[in-house]
Amino acid sequence: MLCSTCRTRPPVTADGRCTPCAQSAGPAGVQAPSAPVLTAPQQWLRSPDGLAKAVVVLLLSVVVADLLAVASDINIRSVLGGGIDNDFAGFDDAEADRADMFYAGAGVLQLLTTLATAVGFIMWFRRVRANAEIFDASAHSMRPGWAVGGWFVPVAGLWLPRRIAGGIWVASAQTNTDGTWRNVSHAPLNLWWGAWVASLLFGRYASQQYDRAELPQEIMDAASRMMVSDLLDIVAAVFAILFVRKLTRMQGERAAIGPFPLGTGA
């Protein structure tokens, strides 16, 4: 459930309004311009800029690994395309071994870059969640610790981080010049999350199909699915870069209007 007025924060009053809307509304419940509610921080704000830059670099490394994986998928299809009567009689063993090694090497690179990116991204995500708590504690329906733990909950991990990210996004939005709250489009957040979930689910399906493939045509079809999965992962990585850059910039703008400047501590 969301605030009946701004439709962005959890409600805290009997009439379904969030804290900022309740404090800025007049007796008749009409929203009036007012300064944003600033929650006294338990600690200084900490800049997410350094972590954001590291995450962007790591996401670019994921894109490179995915491009190599796409090349390996195409190579496998090319090698297997020379088969005769759907058996392995027409294949060059050395060429097939090289194709298999190329595919395996690209897979290892994908795994390493994905793990490194996941660690960096969660560190950045935790940082922006901590800052968002200071910006507007009422925008969050879950405790700060879920910014890390939410990623590791089976099944629910497909939507819990999106819920947390939504609160961070709302709390980090800069106010208007007259002091009223400004709603920022959730498009970068939704595009990243949708692409990431699609890539994750389709990638799992494609990987299972590849592992089960035995005949040349089956392997070629599975390699095509893996290629689609790798391309989806590239799209998700690009949207993730846009999301990270946008939210980091929003937090810098939001911090500039408050009494608590972003620190440079790591």
Side-chain angles (χ1 to χ4, degrees), residues 30-257:
V30 178
Q31 190 75 16
S34 65
V37 178
L38 295 174
T39 303
Q42 300 299 316
Q43 60 181 4
W44 287 102
L45 295 171
R46 301 169 68 189
S47 175
D49 288 347
L51 287 173
K53 291 176 182 177
V55 171
V56 169
V57 172
L58 288 169
L59 285 166
L60 289 174
S61 73
V62 169
V63 172
V64 172
D66 286 336
L67 288 174
L68 288 175
V70 169
S72 72
D73 298 329
I74 295 175
N75 187 48
I76 285 180
R77 285 188 54 83
S78 176
V79 171
L80 295 183
I84 299 176
D85 297 329
N86 205 32
D87 59 30
F88 294 94
F91 297 143
D92 182 283
D93 290 339
E95 187 177 9
D97 288 341
R98 286 194 296 269
D100 189 58
M101 290 179 61
F102 184 17
Y103 180 85
V108 171
L109 183 60
Q110 280 183 304
L111 177 61
L112 293 176
T113 56
T114 298
L115 289 176
T117 302
V119 172
F121 188 92
I122 291 176
M123 291 175 63
W124 169 83
F125 197 68
R126 180 176 179 272
R127 175 70 57 82
V128 294
R129 173 61 180 86
N131 288 341
E133 183 75 12
I134 298 171
F135 293 148
D136 182 4
S138 69
H140 314 286
S141 58
M142 303 181 70
R143 294 183 178 277
W146 283 103
V148 176
W151 296 93
F152 301 98
V153 181
V155 183
L158 292 175
W159 63 272
L160 281 180
R162 167 59 182 82
R163 182 177 178 183
I164 297 166
I168 299 172
W169 191 267
V170 170
S172 303
Q174 186 183 15
T175 58
N176 294 314
T177 55
D178 62 358
T180 56
W181 291 95
R182 177 170 69 96
N183 291 327
V184 180
S185 171
H186 284 62
L189 167 60
N190 293 330
L191 287 172
W192 156 65
W193 189 254
W196 181 76
V197 171
S199 173
L200 182 67
L201 296 179
F202 188 83
R204 185 167 300 179
Y205 161 75
S207 180
Q208 290 175 347
Q209 293 299 307
Y210 190 89
D211 291 340
R212 295 173 183 172
E214 296 180 355
L215 297 177
Q217 187 59 52
E218 293 175 343
I219 297 175
M220 289 176 63
D221 293 340
S224 296
R225 297 187 189 98
M226 290 300 299
M227 182 166 57
V228 173
S229 173
D230 295 329
L231 291 173
L232 279 175
D233 202 50
I234 292 174
V235 172
V238 171
F239 282 141
I241 290 173
L242 297 178
F243 167 66
V244 169
R245 288 172 58 86
K246 174 64 174 178
L247 183 52
T248 300
R249 184 168 60 252
M250 285 170 58
Q251 289 214 335
E253 294 170 348
R254 180 67 180 82
I257 67 170

